[in-house]
Amino acid sequence: MVKKQKHTVDQTKSAKTTTDIDQDTPAVGEELLSNPKKDDNIIDKPSKKPKSNRGKYPMPAILRVLCSLAFLIVVSIFITWFILWRQNMCDADTTMEFIQEKSDIATYSYLVIFGLLAIISAITWRPFFSTGLFFCIVSILTFVHMQKFELRGEPFLPEEIALAENAGDMIEFVDATEIQQLIWGVIFVLIGSILAEYCMRRVFGRNRKKLAWWDRFAIVPRITFTMIALAFFAGIAHPVLDRTDTEWIDGLDLIAWSQIENYEFNGIIIGFLYNFGDTTVKQPEDYSAERIAEIADKYNKLKQADTGRVSLGDEVDNIIVILNETFYDPALLTKYYDHVGGDVTPNLHKIFREYPSGYMYSPEYGGGTANVEFEVQTGLSNYWAKTFPYVNTISKMDKLFGVASWSKQNGFDTTAIHSYGGSFYKRNIVYPKIGYNQFIDDEEMQFTEKDYSSNVINDRSVYREIISLLEDSDEPQMIGAVTMQNHAPYWQAEYPDKQFWLKNDKVDNNWDIVSSFQSLYYSDKYLGEFIEALDRLKERTVVLWFGDHAMGQLSLYASSSNQDDKNIAHLTPYFVYANFDIKSPYTERETAKFNAAQGLDFSNIRYVKGVDLPTTTPNCIQNTMYNVLGVEKPTLYYLLDKVCSTTPILSNAYYGGKSPSDSITPYHEYELLNYDILYGQHYWKEEN
């Protein structure tokens, strides 16, 4: 019974199998004809459905572009607000006030940001990643701006990007916590933007593996939209970059002479863009080899006729040129920053009474030390270039004639000292080019004393370094020194015995100003010690000493609508000392009359007596030293005799955007020589 049932089942199964094969499988002949290579034992697998070239949720290309554009529009609004917010030191109320009161400028700023972001997005074809990358760059640049403005009261300029290699030297002045927050913020945004880009492409992107290479990388649309974005940005930015035709932007006022005011009035975006414009010095119309030869002949004749001068080496044994960082005179600031505690700089004022001295009009405020140093060292002016000659020009030249070169020609050994990093402002590159044989920076100094908690070497150590050089050498010495004690942040030394408190304790930046005054007091004390040491030297030694600029927190002067107040913020002391008898070529009365013609009066300043050197810009004070000594000087300085009497102050801050008349012959001749020496064909040969 069992066997019979089994036989029945087998027959049923066999019948069913045969039926299925008959219905679903072609005959052997048909199979061989349709696919001769196919094995009889292989059964066809169901064919796979071809993959789409799109992701899980296909989106038409035009829709993807429109969505990306909308995303960039929204993000650009946020980034613009973020930049303006950072400009206003993270004050939301001030930022909204700026946007509301200057809506056209804010809108223009937004269009600039949108144009830049569109260019990056079109090039990368990654809107989310491009946005993250752009935001990180903006965060870094605005962070640098905030730090610089807080320390120096100056905005961040595009040309300072070239100083990125010096960033490590400046980090010690910045709160480490803020730097860490910036780094983590950048990392977070970059990772987030990469993940967002990946996720969106997984959902809405295309399957690029089966596309041609040109389609895979979206070559055609990428180039197309890049060109459109570039054209848009060029059209928007052109008026500001070229500094022309900006009347269509209501309320815009591009300010060339003061970038502090330019940034403040127009906002950081327009201010930064403006300074990205053409900074090259335009060639004067009458510039030629013949014109330079004519000027050379004119002033060589004056030099040859000036027979009363003696050789530099016959008159002095040592020459010292000292730039004292952020040394200004609080005695000039009593209108807004009067203080208790007596005279902040008594040794300076004693020197004023005993040696030729006066006030220099610094073209810089709160920073720009190297620009002031450049003018003193070379006798040239940064008035026409408005850039960083040390970084942008001299570092690329073979050599440049200056005070060190002239001293070397007269038999002096030449040494430069800077109590900070040697690469800052490319001094390690520049100093050999302007005539210094030796450069001693903070790592090579013998004396490295610091005041209290300060991060920088104090002035006393620099002065001791100079004295040590003079005592250890039997050869005539020419020494150029740059100090750092008074550098921002002004509170860094944390002097415990502050004694010069402001009478108005509600002044903004009160603590910074009081700290700066205390630093000046100690710096002045070390100056007095230095002069006493020089008095004991047997070698005839002369010192040209000057402060480079005032601190960057004197806003009541620097931001005043009164030009006389603004001028005060640019004044720093300078003097010519010698441990032998010297005399100013001017009387105090002559100097007072000369200064009055420039709108400056020091006759009623408390503690200040004996001003007998005219107020002038740094380009003139080396010539002043030569005239005080009555020594031979380079041909250029005979032109400076004329320039420094007809246009004694060459500063954009002083002229308020205007300029001296080109009809003033010495001024124009000086302009031609500056162009030729720094940017032209070098027809002028001072060595001859």
Side-chain angles (χ1 to χ4, degrees), residues 523-540:
S523 179
D524 178 81
K525 175 184 177 182
Y526 304 147
L527 174 61
E529 295 173 358
F530 179 56
I531 295 300
E532 290 178 1
L534 292 177
D535 284 340
R536 295 191 293 268
L537 280 179
K538 295 180 180 180
E539 294 88 357
R540 297 165 299 172

Side-chain angles (χ1 to χ4, degrees), residues 431-565:
Y431 281 155
K433 295 177 184 293
I434 61 176
Y436 286 104
N437 289 332
Q438 181 184 9
F439 177 30
I440 301 173
D441 62 9
D442 59 342
E443 294 184 356
E444 298 179 359
M445 291 178 64
Q446 300 179 55
F447 304 93
T448 56
E449 176 184 302
K450 299 177 181 179
D451 283 359
Y452 297 95
S453 61
S454 177
N455 292 322
V456 295
I457 297 171
N458 64 17
D459 289 1
R460 172 184 278 162
S461 296
V462 177
Y463 295 142
R464 286 179 174 177
E465 197 79 24
I466 294 172
I467 295 297
S468 177
L469 278 173
L470 298 180
E471 291 177 342
D472 293 345
S473 176
D474 295 329
E475 300 297 323
Q477 295 290 316
M478 188 274 146
I479 301 172
V482 178
T483 72
M484 279 292 287
Q485 175 174 320
N486 300 313
H487 195 283
Y490 308 108
W491 44 263
Q492 64 175 318
E494 297 181 2
Y495 292 103
D497 54 343
K498 293 182 178 63
Q499 60 197 83
F500 305 105
W501 297 98
L502 299 184
K503 292 182 177 180
N504 181 2
D505 59 2
K506 296 182 180 180
V507 171
D508 290 340
N509 304 310
N510 186 306
W511 184 257
D512 281 338
I513 295 171
V514 170
S515 298
S516 178
F517 283 5
Q518 196 66 46
S519 179
L520 288 172
Y521 173 77
Y522 280 100
S523 179
D524 178 81
K525 175 184 177 182
Y526 304 147
L527 174 61
E529 295 173 358
F530 179 56
I531 295 300
E532 290 178 1
L534 292 177
D535 284 340
R536 295 191 293 268
L537 280 179
K538 295 180 180 180
E539 294 88 357
R540 297 165 299 172
T541 302
V542 62
V543 177
L544 173 62
W545 184 102
F546 61 98
D548 59 337
H549 57 74
M551 70 176 297
Q553 308 292 356
L554 306 178
S555 56
L556 294 178
Y557 283 100
S559 301
S560 173
S561 58
N562 186 317
Q563 184 60 43
D564 291 339
D565 286 346

